[in-house]
Amino acid sequence: MAHEVNTYWKNVLTIVPIVGAGMATIIYLLRLYCRRMKAVSLQLEDYLMGVGLILSYGVTASVLFTAFNGVGLPIKSLPKYERKNIQFGTWMIQKFWPPSMAFVKISIVVFIKQLFGLIRAYVILSNCLIGFIATWALAGLLVNIFQCIPVQYYYNKDLEGHCMGGQVQFFQTMGSIALIEDVAILCLPIPVFWKLQINNRQKITLILVFSLGGVVCIFSLMRLIEFRQFQVTDLAVSSAKESIWTCLELDVAVICGCLPFLNPLVKGVRSKVRSDASKYHSQPSTGSNFHSHTRGNKANSREHHSGCGAIVNSNSREAMVAASWQSSDIENNRQNVDSDMST
């Protein structure tokens, strides 16, 4: 019976992490390929996502390491070297998970910030969220490293040392904050999408594309629930399910963060947002019109670097201007602005 249990968890903790990491890698490579097809250079969000993916390999490798050392069985039934290996593998998972999640989440927030860059509230919210995620990851990493004194005591009980009290509560707190971050990132773009001047079908489609991140929230919640039964004194049993949710949370986060770059629907989002924002900031005077056109040109120059999925047709601004040529006064005003720009 014990052998069957060990075989089951060994298979699960081998197949799930490998398949998940493989899918995340393929989607990320497709994202890079999409950039290349559009002749767009890699941006900050691409590098951040790449770092997060690489760090997630550390989580995958650590889970695989525990899978081949009797995970799923009571720790007292395992030989001493397997106990140490499982504890070491679990300790390493804790070191890779916070920074990996942070890089993936910050990459997504940076993309959203660039997408709605003309909306000041979104810039402020994005910067605050980035700072909060970075602080959360750093705090989690440091506490995970120094939760035991000496640090090796976590996985080597032959040493003299001690661990902090409330380890399980700390893991639950970290997981709860991670879930709040996931929900915040998920809800961040929805208000803007809903206010866009497009039909309800397009709105719903846009929201669904970006709401795929809700799957990450589900895995994050499942991981948090699993911590209710987590026992630091028997990591061989209590870490089995938690390791599955940890891998799935990371891999699905990478996949969901890359999907918008593969979806052509995102292509017109920024142009619509810029159109609405320009109407809000527009002024009747010729000088302010000239300033608005200049800022529009700068925004369109940055447009080229926003990502394969979010690249916007540079003619959208001209189409918007053409729609306003219904009166001769506006036409004359535009000619005056053009002559000023030419000089």
Side-chain angles (χ1 to χ4, degrees):
M1 182 64 181
H3 176 73
E4 292 178 358
V5 172
N6 178 248
T7 302
Y8 169 78
W9 284 114
K10 181 178 179 180
N11 292 335
V12 171
L13 292 176
T14 300
I15 296 173
V16 173
I18 291 178
V19 172
M23 290 295 297
T25 302
I26 291 172
I27 297 299
Y28 179 72
L29 292 177
L30 288 176
R31 169 179 177 162
L32 300 184
Y33 179 71
C34 191
R35 291 288 208 189
R36 181 177 181 182
M37 285 183 60
K38 296 295 182 178
V40 178
S41 60
L42 297 182
Q43 298 301 300
L44 176 61
E45 60 266 29
D46 300 310
Y47 291 112
L48 291 173
M49 185 64 73
V51 173
L53 177 62
I54 292 174
L55 289 174
S56 73
Y57 294 155
V59 175
T60 301
S62 300
V63 172
L64 291 174
F65 183 73
T66 63
F68 287 88
N69 282 279
V71 69
L73 298 177
I75 197 166
K76 293 182 179 180
S77 65
L78 300 176
K80 185 176 180 179
Y81 75 93
E82 286 192 347
R83 298 181 194 178
K84 184 176 180 179
N85 288 341
I86 289 179
Q87 292 169 334
F88 177 75
T90 305
W91 188 76
M92 289 303 298
I93 293 173
Q94 299 170 14
K95 306 304 167 288
F96 284 109
W97 178 73
S100 178
M101 285 300 302
F103 275 104
V104 173
K105 291 179 180 181
I106 292 175
S107 171
I108 297 173
V109 176
V110 169
F111 168 64
I112 295 176
K113 177 183 175 181
Q114 292 184 355
L115 195 63
F116 307 130
L118 287 182
I119 304 177
R120 181 174 177 79
Y122 270 79
V123 175
I124 297 175
L125 285 175
S126 298
N127 290 335
C128 292
L129 190 54
I130 290 172
F132 182 83
I133 293 172
T135 303
W136 164 84
L138 180 61
L141 180 61
L142 292 176
V143 175
N144 273 321
I145 292 176
F146 299 106
Q147 60 184 302
C148 295
I149 302 297
V151 295
Q152 298 91 337
Y153 182 74
Y154 186 93
Y155 55 85
N156 187 1
K157 301 305 181 184
D158 293 335
L159 301 175
E160 292 186 4
H162 66 278
C163 295
M164 69 178 190
Q167 286 175 284
V168 176
Q169 289 74 16
F170 166 72
F171 296 145
Q172 290 174 335
T173 301
M174 288 292 294
S176 299
I177 296 176
L179 178 59
I180 294 174
E181 293 170 350
D182 293 337
V183 174
I185 295 173
L186 177 66
C187 297
L188 193 60
I190 292 180
V192 174
F193 288 157
W194 196 253
K195 292 181 181 180
L196 292 178
Q197 299 300 317
I198 55 179
N199 59 56
N200 289 334
R201 181 179 179 182
Q202 290 175 313
K203 289 180 181 180
I204 293 174
T205 305
L206 270 174
I207 292 174
L208 286 176
V209 169
F210 279 83
S211 295
L212 291 174
V215 181
V216 182
C217 297
I218 295 175
F219 290 133
S220 182
L221 178 61
M222 296 302 296
R223 181 175 181 271
L224 181 61
I225 293 174
E226 195 59 35
F227 273 125
R228 297 175 60 183
Q229 302 176 356
F230 196 82
Q231 299 178 12
V232 293
T233 57
D234 194 351
L235 295 175
V237 173
S238 60
S239 66
K241 291 183 180 179
E242 183 268 334
S243 297
I244 295 176
W245 300 127
T246 299
C247 289
L248 290 176
E249 180 188 19
L250 264 174
D251 296 332
V252 173
V254 173
I255 292 172
C256 292
C258 294
L259 284 180
F261 293 85
L262 312 180
N263 196 314
L265 183 63
V266 187
K267 192 173 183 179
V269 172
R270 181 176 291 188
S271 62
K272 198 63 183 177
V273 173
R274 292 189 185 282
S275 176
D276 294 343
S278 63
K279 291 178 182 178
Y280 177 81
H281 293 290
S282 62
Q283 299 294 334
S285 62
T286 303
S288 61
N289 284 337
F290 173 78
H291 176 72
S292 177
H293 278 276
T294 305
R295 185 172 59 184
N297 289 334
K298 291 180 180 179
N300 283 333
S301 66
R302 291 194 303 269
E303 199 76 54
H304 183 66
H305 303 286
S306 64
C308 177
I311 294 176
V312 181
N313 191 336
S314 61
N315 294 328
S316 60
R317 184 176 63 85
E318 294 297 331
M320 183 183 69
V321 175
S324 66
W325 289 355
Q326 301 298 323
S327 65
S328 59
D329 293 338
I330 296 179
E331 172 66 21
N332 292 332
N333 186 32
R334 176 181 176 277
Q335 292 176 354
N336 291 333
V337 172
D338 291 340
S339 63
D340 292 339
M341 294 179 64
S342 63
T343 58

